[in-house]
Amino acid sequence: MKNLKEMTDEELALSYVDGNNKAFDLLLSRNQSKLFSYILYVVHDRDTAEDLFQETFFKVITRLQQGRYTTSGKFSAWVMRIAHNVMMDWYREQKADRVVEANETNDLSNLSGSDLLESNIEMEFVNAQVLSDVKRMMNMLPAVQREVVYMRYFQQMSFKEIADATSVSINTALGRMRYALLNMRRMARDNGIQLQLA
């Protein structure tokens, strides 16, 4: 039998279903940072994000124990879909529309893309400014567009994974990305912002 650390997330999930609690501990440690960042990004409130994160993993555990997980796709996409549904339920309970308005405290500074950019000091400064402008414009997008951009560029999810996670068709996910990019280009043009990395 494989060592737990050598197992894929999908294998760990099945091992947990078979009664191995250590498999779930490793599964949680592998996925918690990415999942919490996603939830925090969407709801923009740490306390709410922590509550929704806990509720998501409660549902993950429940569904695993009920045998409602199959290895037909990536475990992380399955968990993201559960998180998405938990957040949508929370929004409905709050009787709020699905658009989250950005404010001064929600500037996406918790996302780090600077480690993806390497160059000399001057190029780093230019790249940091471009990334800051992009994050600011992303905050101004409707929530469904912002969510797709985040999943695609900050979590490197495929459009199929995004569609599965958000319970929409691939065409809808692609459409949301298209509108997000059009909106961001318009914002850049209207504000004289250059979005080209050095």
Side-chain angles (χ1 to χ4, degrees):
M1 186 171 140
K2 276 186 179 178
N3 179 331
L4 284 180
K5 291 185 180 182
E6 296 170 358
M7 290 183 175
T8 64
D9 286 355
E10 293 73 26
E11 292 169 328
L12 287 170
L14 294 176
S15 181
Y16 172 70
V17 169
D18 289 338
N20 187 343
N21 289 334
K22 289 185 179 181
F24 184 79
D25 293 342
L26 183 55
L27 202 54
L28 176 62
S29 71
R30 283 185 186 174
N31 290 279
Q32 67 185 3
S33 177
K34 181 179 178 181
L35 182 64
F36 183 76
S37 294
Y38 164 60
I39 294 170
L40 180 61
Y41 175 73
V42 174
V43 301
H44 292 300
D45 179 76
R46 183 165 288 279
D47 292 335
T48 301
E50 287 172 359
D51 290 345
L52 295 175
F53 175 82
Q54 295 296 329
E55 185 176 343
T56 298
F57 262 95
F58 175 75
K59 289 192 177 200
V60 166
I61 291 168
T62 303
R63 289 179 185 173
L64 284 171
Q65 290 173 345
Q66 292 171 342
R68 292 171 58 192
Y69 172 72
T70 59
T71 57
S72 59
K74 286 179 74 174
F75 178 81
S76 60
W78 182 71
V79 171
M80 295 292 254
R81 184 171 50 250
I82 292 171
H84 170 80
N85 291 337
V86 166
M87 287 185 286
M88 292 304 107
D89 289 345
W90 180 80
Y91 279 124
R92 280 193 220 45
E93 287 172 11
Q94 301 302 310
K95 294 185 168 84
D97 61 18
R98 294 184 185 207
V99 176
V100 178
E101 296 298 326
N103 60 39
E104 294 82 28
T105 61
N106 294 323
D107 65 357
L108 296 180
S109 60
N110 61 324
L111 298 177
S112 174
S114 58
D115 54 337
L116 303 174
L117 310 169
E118 57 180 38
S119 55
N120 66 34
I121 299 293
E122 182 180 341
M123 289 205 273
E124 284 181 20
F125 177 75
V126 171
N127 290 342
Q129 184 60 49
V130 168
L131 189 59
S132 172
D133 290 339
V134 167
K135 288 177 182 178
R136 208 168 54 251
M137 286 187 291
M138 281 175 62
N139 264 332
M140 296 163 59
L141 293 172
V144 292
Q145 292 175 20
R146 192 169 60 234
E147 180 179 43
V148 170
V149 172
Y150 178 81
M151 289 175 154
R152 182 73 179 135
Y153 291 107
F154 291 93
Q155 295 190 312
Q156 287 82 42
M157 292 174 71
S158 71
F159 281 105
K160 180 176 182 346
E161 291 171 330
I162 293 169
D164 289 345
T166 57
S167 301
V168 298
S169 69
I170 291 177
N171 285 342
T172 299
L174 287 167
R176 288 175 178 174
M177 176 62 80
R178 179 177 176 271
Y179 286 116
L181 294 175
L182 288 171
N183 284 334
M184 290 175 70
R185 284 187 190 126
R186 179 185 45 75
M187 285 183 246
R189 185 185 64 240
D190 291 350
N191 294 294
I193 298 171
Q194 294 293 320
L195 293 178
Q196 187 163 355
L197 298 176

